[in-house]
Amino acid sequence: MDGRDLVRSVKSVGSAGAAQGLRSVRAAWRHRRADAAVLPRRGAERARVPGPVREVEPGPGGGVVRFGRSELRVLVAVNGAVFWGWDGAGPEPSYALAGRCPEPDPRAVLEPDKDGGWRVVAERATVAVSRHGAIEVRTPGGVVLRRELPPRWWEPVDGGPARWTQRSEVAADARFFGLGGRAAGPRLRTGTYRLWNAGPGGPFAAGADRPSVTMPVQVVVADAGTHLVFYDTSWDGTVALREGEEGAGSGHDRPGRSVLRMDGGALRCWVTVGTPARVLLAWASLTGAPALPPSWALGHYHGWWGSGDEQEVRRVAAGFQERDLPLEAVHLGIGHADARRVFTVDEERYPKLSVLADELRRDGIRLVSVVEPAVVPGDAVYDGGAREDVFVRGASGRVVRGVGRPGDVVFPDFTRAEVREWWGGLYEERLGRGFAGVWHDLDAPTSFAAFGEATLPRSARHGPAGGADHREAHNVYALCMARAGYEGLRALAPDERPFVLSRSGWAGMQRYGGAWSDDVGTGWSALRASLGLVVGLGLCGVPYSGTDVGGCDGSPSPELYLRWLQLAARLPLLRTCGGRRAGRREPWGFGPGVLEHARAALDERRRLRPYFVTLAHLARRTGAPYVRPLWWSAPEDRALRDCEDAFLLGDSLLVAPVLDPGVERRAVRLPRGRWYDVATERAYEGPARVVVEAPPERIPVFARAGAVVPVRGESGGVELEVWAPARGRIGEGLVVPDAGDGWAEPEIERYVSRWEGRRVVVEREGEDGLGVPSRPVRVRGLAERPAQM
């Protein structure tokens, strides 16, 4: 921190929070002094490169290539993923992996390549290692997807962790995606992106790249194929991306480039290759299947940040019910806590919280509680934690104190298994109050002051016997907290699927729940950034995420609020919010016109609930996100790769939200095939760019011809909405019925649609062949011929 940080932090908290800001400043200076006394200064450094090949040692799935000044381990796993690690690094231990490393593929062997290099040939990719340490990932046909230049390390002469740089090249036509939940996404253009989870300190919006969920995960899409690359190190670093250019410089292509610079950690990497669906399937098999949210969690929540009381929460819930607005949960923010301490309730304002929870649940509404990791010294949780020695200590051995909402606080060390078990047991208090789930806030952890400085010194010790410091643990702290919450809730309520929502996280966080956007700003750029966040997280393996409708500060215009709600109703996580900084954000607070259109959006979300349930089950089984970029099924289509203002919701629907003010008509890029405007049932043939109506009451949504979409019928049961296939074509769709909030494995129902004479026939696939569906069927798109373009 410097003087500018000090001024910025005091300005941000204002006079009312000046004491809080000054505490943060003092703590930051104290941590800087502790770091300076323990962590070695960056003095003279010695650069190192691998050098020439000396010898090789073949092994299962690959082998070891030894160079003059390093060695490289290459492994092809049975799921098709490729691993390599420098300086003897192996795939374990890893925060990202779901369990043990997959078994090596016995068919993959290390064999000589041209020019003195070596290669490992696998079913989906070939990995070639040059005699000086460059690594190429090639398609089975021999086309180079990615070329990693020999890495370079800078090792301190006086000892300490080495920083390193990995330069990579991709095709000139390639596009970059991923790196977590980025405001600049989903397509990541030329620029530098930091890999350090940020906390509060500014709104999440386009142009402000300080995400709370960062991951060294890139998804690269090019004509030759799609690949995902993951550098398995949690240290602070940056990724500098430069998109390529075809025909640049005397008619030659300029390749795209990625330069990864890390402050420490092992240089180890995983790569998966194939279609987007296959890439995400292999990634999920490595890092774990996404947790299946409870079915109620696929409905609509309202977040209440205010410091009101039980009656105010009742009034808010009643307001939704009186206006016939669907509501499945109310999220209570820190305002319901006692003195802002963890696992407490303000008994004066919420004297009968469990009674309130029971009343709401009878109306189909759950309560969800915010939980923060900061623990105030002196309270009951602190006393129990001190006895168990669970808190993060500094290099001196003393418990480190940071600054959180309540003031001076300490933090549990979630990187230790025994601490996670202790913390998970504390959620019994939340369940006893009637809460159905939790959402984790300020879990990076970072200072509550605006500059977002880490509230733990980088020299703080983590892990068994303090084997790591905060430079390595910061990015995975929230991931480990999510694991503690998920495992604790599962142990305490084994018959119910846990609900855990995190503000921050890292690779593998999907195993424990989903993510909500950071303090998203209020404005049209923040609306656009929210869509980029959801698409980007989905490509990084986190399918369940969303944003707070209207932003977290300021006052959205009625138009912005409505367009935001219309988008959010088609995202996995739908949360409106009100109270405190957000103000009163209930739909009826924006006038009768907005209320009418908001009801239509929420009713449509309720109608599509069976479809979201199906997408959730498919995400758990395949890793495919609910929200997908338009190029998902056609990555070779360059026009789709550059389209960022629309998305696919599963395989069946295409959503084109309105992201700018004053828009009542907008252009939509359609992938190949026939698509129906769901409002007019007009048919369009893709690939094409069409201009359609986008009046205030709705945003454009298209259905793929032949799609079989499960929806909620008028009676409340599931019916099949079938969109007529093109003549001579067969459509299909999957349905996973809602088995409640437990662990039952419902059977996947498969349906096909086809023309038979002058009518569309829908049949269910079974062991004995095709049969009559047991669900009501409604066929749409029968009367409309394709529109003339």
Side-chain angles (χ1 to χ4, degrees):
M1 179 193 301
D2 56 22
R4 286 173 296 181
D5 292 326
L6 173 61
V7 174
R8 190 161 62 245
S9 64
V10 173
K11 283 183 177 180
S12 68
V13 298
S15 58
Q20 176 77 322
L22 290 175
R23 277 196 297 267
S24 297
V25 171
R26 286 197 296 267
W29 280 115
R30 186 169 63 247
H31 295 162
R32 289 293 179 90
R33 290 197 301 269
D35 291 345
V38 176
L39 300 179
R41 289 179 174 269
R42 283 286 179 189
E45 295 179 317
R46 182 185 301 108
R48 173 169 62 91
V49 295
V53 170
R54 297 299 187 195
E55 62 178 349
V56 299
E57 180 182 330
V64 177
V65 182
R66 295 187 175 89
F67 298 84
R69 290 175 291 276
S70 185
E71 70 175 36
L72 174 70
R73 181 183 304 275
V74 181
L75 168 72
V76 177
V78 290
N79 65 349
V82 177
F83 170 84
W84 63 76
W86 287 95
D87 286 352
E92 299 176 25
S94 170
Y95 289 104
L97 296 188
R100 299 299 305 273
C101 173
E103 292 295 319
D105 186 346
R107 300 169 297 176
V109 296
L110 190 63
E111 61 187 31
D113 197 16
K114 60 183 179 180
D115 300 328
W118 294 80
R119 68 182 183 183
V120 180
V121 179
E123 179 182 359
R124 300 176 189 170
T126 295
V127 182
V129 182
S130 78
R131 59 192 181 95
H132 288 290
I135 302 174
E136 288 185 350
V137 180
R138 305 170 184 163
T139 67
V143 179
V144 176
L145 292 176
R146 189 180 192 90
R147 186 170 190 267
E148 304 260 317
L149 279 64
R152 178 167 294 186
W153 294 266
W154 281 267
E155 299 171 331
V157 172
D158 297 330
R163 58 189 180 95
W164 51 266
T165 297
Q166 178 63 71
R167 302 175 184 272
S168 311
E169 293 180 348
V170 297
D173 66 280
R175 295 290 182 262
F176 296 101
F177 301 85
L179 298 184
R182 297 280 168 173
R187 174 184 164 193
L188 302 177
R189 289 170 170 79
T190 298
T192 300
Y193 304 86
R194 191 179 180 191
L195 297 169
W196 184 259
N197 288 351
F204 181 91
D209 186 58
R210 45 181 319 282
S212 57
V213 181
T214 65
M215 305 179 196
V217 178
Q218 296 177 25
V219 175
V220 184
V221 185
D223 287 353
T226 301
H227 71 274
L228 178 150
V229 59
F230 167 55
Y231 298 95
D232 193 355
T233 177
S234 58
W235 282 63
D236 192 2
T238 61
V239 181
L241 301 178
R242 188 192 71 185
E243 291 187 334
E245 184 178 351
E246 293 180 299
S250 301
H252 297 289
D253 289 348
R254 185 185 72 184
R257 177 163 294 183
S258 167
V259 181
L260 176 64
R261 294 182 174 91
M262 302 301 295
D263 287 348
L267 204 178
R268 53 184 183 173
C269 179
W270 284 96
V271 175
T272 64
V273 176
T275 64
R278 178 168 285 183
V279 163
L280 267 294
L281 176 61
W283 178 237
S285 72
L286 282 175
T287 60
L292 189 64
S295 59
W296 58 264
L298 295 169
H300 166 227
Y301 324 139
H302 187 71
W304 180 247
W305 311 156
S307 55
D309 56 18
E310 290 180 3
Q311 296 309 314
E312 196 159 7
V313 173
R314 285 188 175 92
R315 283 195 294 270
V316 170
F320 281 93
Q321 293 172 316
E322 291 167 2
R323 294 167 177 85
D324 195 26
L325 298 173
L327 181 66
E328 277 69 37
V330 173
H331 289 201
L332 293 184
I334 200 65
H336 78 284
D338 176 16
R340 294 187 170 183
R341 297 186 178 190
V342 68
F343 299 115
T344 58
V345 169
D346 187 327
E347 299 291 349
E348 291 185 3
R349 291 184 293 115
Y350 292 86
K352 298 181 180 180
L353 184 60
S354 58
V355 174
L356 171 64
D358 288 341
E359 291 176 1
L360 293 178
R361 187 172 291 226
R362 284 195 293 270
D363 292 331
I365 302 172
R366 270 76 170 179
L367 277 183
V368 175
S369 171
V370 69
V371 174
E372 297 180 0
V375 177
V376 179
D379 72 4
V381 173
Y382 173 84
D383 293 340
R387 288 192 297 270
E388 300 292 332
D389 188 21
V390 302
F391 299 118
V392 175
R393 294 181 177 273
S396 65
R398 300 180 63 181
V399 173
V400 177
R401 293 202 177 192
V403 177
R405 293 187 203 265
D408 292 336
V409 294
V410 296
F411 292 89
D413 183 6
F414 295 120
T415 63
R416 294 160 48 194
E418 67 273 18
V419 176
R420 293 195 297 270
E421 183 178 2
W422 167 79
W423 183 265
L426 298 178
Y427 287 79
E428 184 175 11
E429 187 274 344
R430 297 287 90 178
L431 296 180
R433 299 275 190 177
F435 289 110
V438 296
W439 58 285
H440 292 165
D441 198 3
L442 301 185
D443 51 356
T446 53
S447 170
F448 196 62
F451 46 83
E453 186 79 8
T455 194
L456 290 172
R458 297 195 171 207
S459 57
R461 310 308 300 174
H462 291 267
D469 62 36
H470 197 65
R471 293 175 295 177
E472 181 179 356
H474 174 83
N475 280 340
V476 298
Y477 188 89
L479 167 72
C480 296
M481 181 182 178
R483 179 178 180 179
Y486 180 88
E487 292 177 347
L489 290 173
R490 183 164 186 178
L492 293 167
D495 296 331
E496 298 182 9
R497 300 198 293 269
F499 177 80
V500 178
L501 201 59
S502 299
R503 178 183 192 139
S504 298
W506 202 64
M509 65 179 295
Q510 75 277 358
R511 298 191 296 266
Y512 313 117
W516 59 282
S517 62
D518 198 351
D519 286 343
V520 64
T522 298
W524 291 94
S525 66
L527 170 60
R528 187 177 293 269
S530 298
L531 174 57
L533 173 139
V534 174
V535 177
L537 284 176
L539 292 174
C540 290
V542 185
Y544 184 69
S545 66
T547 180
D548 289 328
V549 173
C552 293
D553 55 6
S555 299
S557 67
E559 181 189 12
L560 174 59
Y561 181 87
L562 178 60
R563 292 308 195 185
W564 207 316
L565 179 59
Q566 289 168 340
L567 165 62
R570 276 84 175 183
L571 299 180
L573 188 156
L574 167 58
R575 184 166 77 175
T576 53
C577 57
R580 203 164 58 88
R581 285 183 303 157
R584 297 305 296 262
R585 297 283 187 82
E586 291 75 35
W588 54 88
F590 292 89
V594 170
L595 175 60
E596 178 185 356
H597 302 329
R599 180 182 294 109
L602 294 176
D603 283 344
E604 179 64 8
R605 174 57 175 247
R606 177 166 55 185
R607 195 181 76 91
L608 289 175
R609 177 94 158 267
Y611 186 50
F612 276 95
V613 170
T614 295
L615 295 178
H617 280 274
L618 295 180
R620 186 176 67 85
R621 299 186 188 208
T622 68
Y626 312 19
V627 170
R628 307 165 188 179
L630 290 189
W631 49 259
W632 178 260
S633 298
E636 71 283 355
D637 189 327
R638 296 190 179 188
L640 297 181
R641 293 208 295 260
D642 293 339
C643 183
E644 301 179 90
D645 61 355
F647 61 91
L648 297 174
L649 182 57
D651 284 332
S652 300
L653 300 179
L654 186 156
V655 181
V658 173
L659 303 176
D660 296 295
V663 172
E664 295 195 11
R665 285 172 62 85
R666 62 151 294 175
V668 181
R669 178 72 63 178
L670 298 177
R672 184 177 301 278
R674 178 173 296 180
W675 295 87
Y676 295 96
D677 184 325
V678 301
T680 65
E681 299 195 23
R682 185 179 183 182
Y684 298 86
E685 291 292 337
R689 182 178 181 271
V690 302
V691 177
V692 296
E693 299 294 326
E697 61 265 25
R698 59 181 172 85
I699 58 176
V701 178
F702 296 83
R704 190 190 301 272
V708 179
V709 183
V711 298
R712 184 178 187 267
E714 293 183 0
S715 65
V718 176
E719 68 178 30
L720 306 179
E721 185 172 82
V722 180
W723 290 89
R727 289 282 183 174
R729 300 295 183 94
I730 295 178
E732 60 183 2
L734 302 176
V735 178
V736 182
D738 187 354
D741 297 335
W743 299 96
E745 287 284 353
E747 179 185 359
I748 296 180
E749 302 173 9
R750 301 177 184 273
Y751 295 92
V752 296
S753 61
R754 59 184 174 83
W755 282 96
E756 188 175 275
R758 302 182 64 179
R759 67 190 185 99
V760 173
V761 175
V762 181
E763 297 173 301
R764 179 178 175 178
E765 292 185 356
E767 295 181 357
D768 299 327
L770 298 176
V772 178
S774 57
R775 302 183 183 278
V777 175
R778 180 189 177 200
V779 180
R780 301 185 64 185
L782 291 174
E784 188 65 44
R785 294 183 178 180
Q788 298 298 316
M789 305 295 209

